[in-house]
Amino acid sequence: MANKSILVFAPHVLFPIRNGADKYIHKKWTSAPDDVYVELIYGDGVYKVENGIFSKIAEFNKNKNKSLETIVKFILSREQYLFHKYKTKDVVDYVEKIQISKFDAVVCSFFSSYDLLKKYIKDDLNCLIESHNFDPKIYFDRALESGFIKRQLYVSAAYRSYKSIVEAKKVNVCALGSADLNMFNSVLSNSSVAFVGGIGCEKYLDRVDFPKENDCILSFVGSLGIQMNNHAIKKFINEKWQKIKERNKNTNLRIIGSSPSKDLIELAGFDPSISVHADVSDDELKFLVQTSCATLIPFESLNGLKLKMFMSIEMGVPFISYKKLTNDDKLSEFSLVSDDSNDIADFLVKASKKYFLRDSEIAFKDFCEKNSWAAHFSKSIHTVL
């Protein structure tokens, strides 16, 4: 029988789960032990974890608002874009129907979800916001690269995001790194507390597939309908790829993800060394990643990067990141932190060797065993209960 109960409000989560934030919320908060009851409000319905069993308890007819409708509401209001995107009638009706105060704690996924739910949360109820490594600075970066109209929208989005963080009161905020922790502590209200949480690993997937000897295959994995991913991989191709090819002609790039944009497909179509693998199954994803020498994490901010790193580790594949994502000495032997084209090309050559890949398996398997989702669930729940 459950001793504690938690409500998780994450209306952005939709099945089948593909993007990083959705995976993080679902994997972490469905890892509850038998003595904790968890109810999860997702975009397509309401789910529960009871006695360790996950099941659906309510169905929603509409999982998100249309893009044009959302943009218009965003422009005419003071709330964030995601606030309007996932504020559907079904979600609002369910929130108003249930008695939120009966739960021991509430978890809101993203500050926009907290903005939507906060008027229903009483001051004495424990509340946690999952930040997903979100830094509003990313909107300013996009604004600098955009035309006048988009620039105004990005600046407005950045302002509203900062405003949500500043106005968060009597909450705990789960950051995913020290940089985020410092940012949140500098802008949160005095009554709020930020702490570093963590990302969990799945059980290590024994590696059965390997690239052919001397095949230098680099894979990028991400939901390509998300602008951050689409922007990052196109920028990598335009700025880095030819230099990498000049250093090693045998190098190939795989782009793996759902909903690739037309311009990304066209960009990849000009180069036979680049292939796009859209909307693949889990088995196909595993095969494509495990037959790669390394995965690519080409981001200049920390938003969502650790999930990509953990995915690579779970599959036993080395990774290349522009940003340092871990202080684990063993992992550093089998990863590269650099945005230099020559460094990337040289690392791929090293990572194409079977002995290197076999040695990395040991370090990755050990890391997975020490960083389970259940362990991170326990850490977060002790913060709010």
Side-chain angles (χ1 to χ4, degrees):
M1 183 176 179
N3 297 321
K4 297 291 184 180
S5 61
I6 300 172
L7 176 67
V8 177
F9 186 59
H12 58 87
V13 177
L14 302 169
F15 286 95
I17 293 176
R18 289 298 183 200
N19 72 58
D22 294 6
K23 287 181 181 179
Y24 170 81
I25 287 295
H26 184 68
K27 294 294 184 183
K28 180 176 180 179
W29 293 102
T30 57
S31 297
D34 290 351
D35 62 344
V36 178
Y37 172 82
V38 181
E39 192 164 305
L40 309 102
I41 302 176
Y42 286 173
D44 61 352
V46 183
Y47 300 80
K48 70 175 181 178
V49 179
E50 190 170 22
N51 297 321
I53 299 172
F54 177 75
S55 60
K56 193 170 190 176
I57 58 176
E59 185 87 31
F60 291 163
N61 294 319
K62 189 177 181 182
N63 53 42
K64 60 183 176 181
N65 292 317
K66 294 180 180 179
S67 296
L68 181 58
E69 176 186 354
T70 301
I71 291 172
V72 171
K73 288 181 177 179
F74 169 76
I75 293 172
L76 296 177
S77 74
R78 294 184 177 181
E79 285 84 22
Q80 297 185 61
Y81 177 82
L82 292 180
F83 175 97
H84 294 293
K85 185 175 183 179
Y86 296 110
K87 187 184 178 182
T88 64
K89 184 178 184 301
D90 284 345
V91 167
V92 172
D93 286 349
Y94 189 84
V95 167
E96 291 181 342
K97 180 178 69 174
I98 64 171
Q99 187 179 350
I100 293 179
S101 59
K102 71 180 181 181
F103 293 93
D104 296 299
V106 174
V107 176
C108 294
S109 181
F110 288 114
F111 280 88
S112 56
S113 295
Y114 173 71
D115 289 345
L116 205 159
L117 200 64
K118 64 184 178 184
K119 71 177 182 179
Y120 304 101
I121 301 174
K122 294 183 179 179
D123 287 345
D124 59 347
L125 185 62
N126 295 319
C127 182
L128 168 68
I129 298 175
E130 291 279 13
S131 70
H132 300 285
N133 266 31
F134 178 70
D135 186 346
K137 180 179 177 295
I138 193 172
Y139 287 133
F140 286 124
D141 294 339
R142 294 286 186 275
L144 294 173
E145 300 170 353
S146 304
F148 178 78
I149 295 177
K150 279 191 174 182
R151 186 183 305 138
Q152 304 310 308
L153 292 175
Y154 280 131
V155 170
S156 179
Y159 166 75
R160 296 177 197 195
S161 299
Y162 275 122
K163 183 173 178 286
S164 291
I165 298 171
V166 171
E167 293 181 353
K169 295 180 179 179
K170 295 186 179 180
V171 298
N172 298 284
V173 176
C174 181
L176 296 179
S178 57
D180 305 308
L181 179 67
N182 293 336
M183 185 272 290
F184 290 129
N185 279 330
S186 69
V187 296
L188 281 167
S189 69
N190 292 332
S191 59
S192 299
V193 177
F195 70 98
V196 175
I199 296 172
C201 277
E202 298 291 314
K203 182 179 178 182
Y204 182 79
L205 298 173
D206 290 329
R207 191 164 186 179
V208 294
D209 296 307
F210 290 87
K212 295 178 181 178
E213 189 71 25
N214 298 321
D215 271 2
C216 293
I217 301 173
L218 179 63
S219 286
F220 173 82
V221 181
S223 179
L224 300 170
I226 294 178
Q227 188 173 15
M228 182 182 80
N229 290 328
N230 187 54
H231 178 270
I233 191 59
K234 286 193 296 184
K235 187 174 182 180
F236 173 81
I237 293 171
N238 288 325
E239 296 181 1
K240 312 284 186 186
W241 187 241
Q242 288 309 312
K243 294 177 183 177
I244 293 171
K245 289 283 294 177
E246 288 170 7
R247 198 165 180 89
N248 185 355
K249 294 181 180 179
N250 294 325
T251 305
N252 290 279
L253 175 64
R254 288 175 177 166
I255 303 171
I256 309 164
S258 59
S259 308
S261 63
K262 184 178 178 181
D263 56 342
L264 176 59
I265 294 173
E266 289 177 352
L267 179 62
F270 288 112
D271 190 333
S273 68
I274 303 175
S275 57
V276 178
H277 304 264
D279 305 306
V280 300
S281 67
D282 290 342
D283 287 340
E284 289 172 316
L285 172 65
K286 181 175 180 250
F287 176 80
L288 289 168
V289 172
Q290 289 196 332
T291 53
S292 304
C293 299
T295 61
L296 174 69
I297 311 176
F299 299 93
E300 292 161 2
S301 71
L302 290 169
N303 290 7
L305 306 197
K306 286 194 174 181
L307 278 167
K308 296 183 186 298
M309 178 190 77
F310 274 52
M311 180 275 297
S312 196
I313 291 171
E314 290 160 5
M315 296 194 186
V317 180
F319 56 92
I320 299 168
S321 174
Y322 289 179
K323 296 286 187 181
K324 186 174 182 178
L325 302 176
T326 177
N327 292 318
D328 189 294
D329 292 334
K330 288 184 179 179
L331 291 188
S332 65
E333 296 178 33
F334 306 104
S335 60
L336 172 69
V337 179
S338 177
D339 62 358
D340 182 81
S341 300
N342 291 337
D343 289 346
I344 293 172
D346 292 345
F347 181 82
L348 284 171
V349 172
K350 182 168 68 171
S352 67
K353 308 301 181 184
K354 281 279 177 65
Y355 76 86
F356 182 87
L357 296 175
R358 292 289 186 188
D359 289 346
S360 69
E361 280 192 287
I362 299 171
F364 292 160
K365 189 171 185 178
D366 182 62
F367 186 87
C368 288
E369 290 175 354
K370 293 177 179 176
N371 293 273
S372 68
W373 281 109
H376 289 296
F377 175 95
S378 178
K379 182 176 181 178
S380 292
I381 199 171
H382 285 309
T383 305
V384 294
L385 292 179

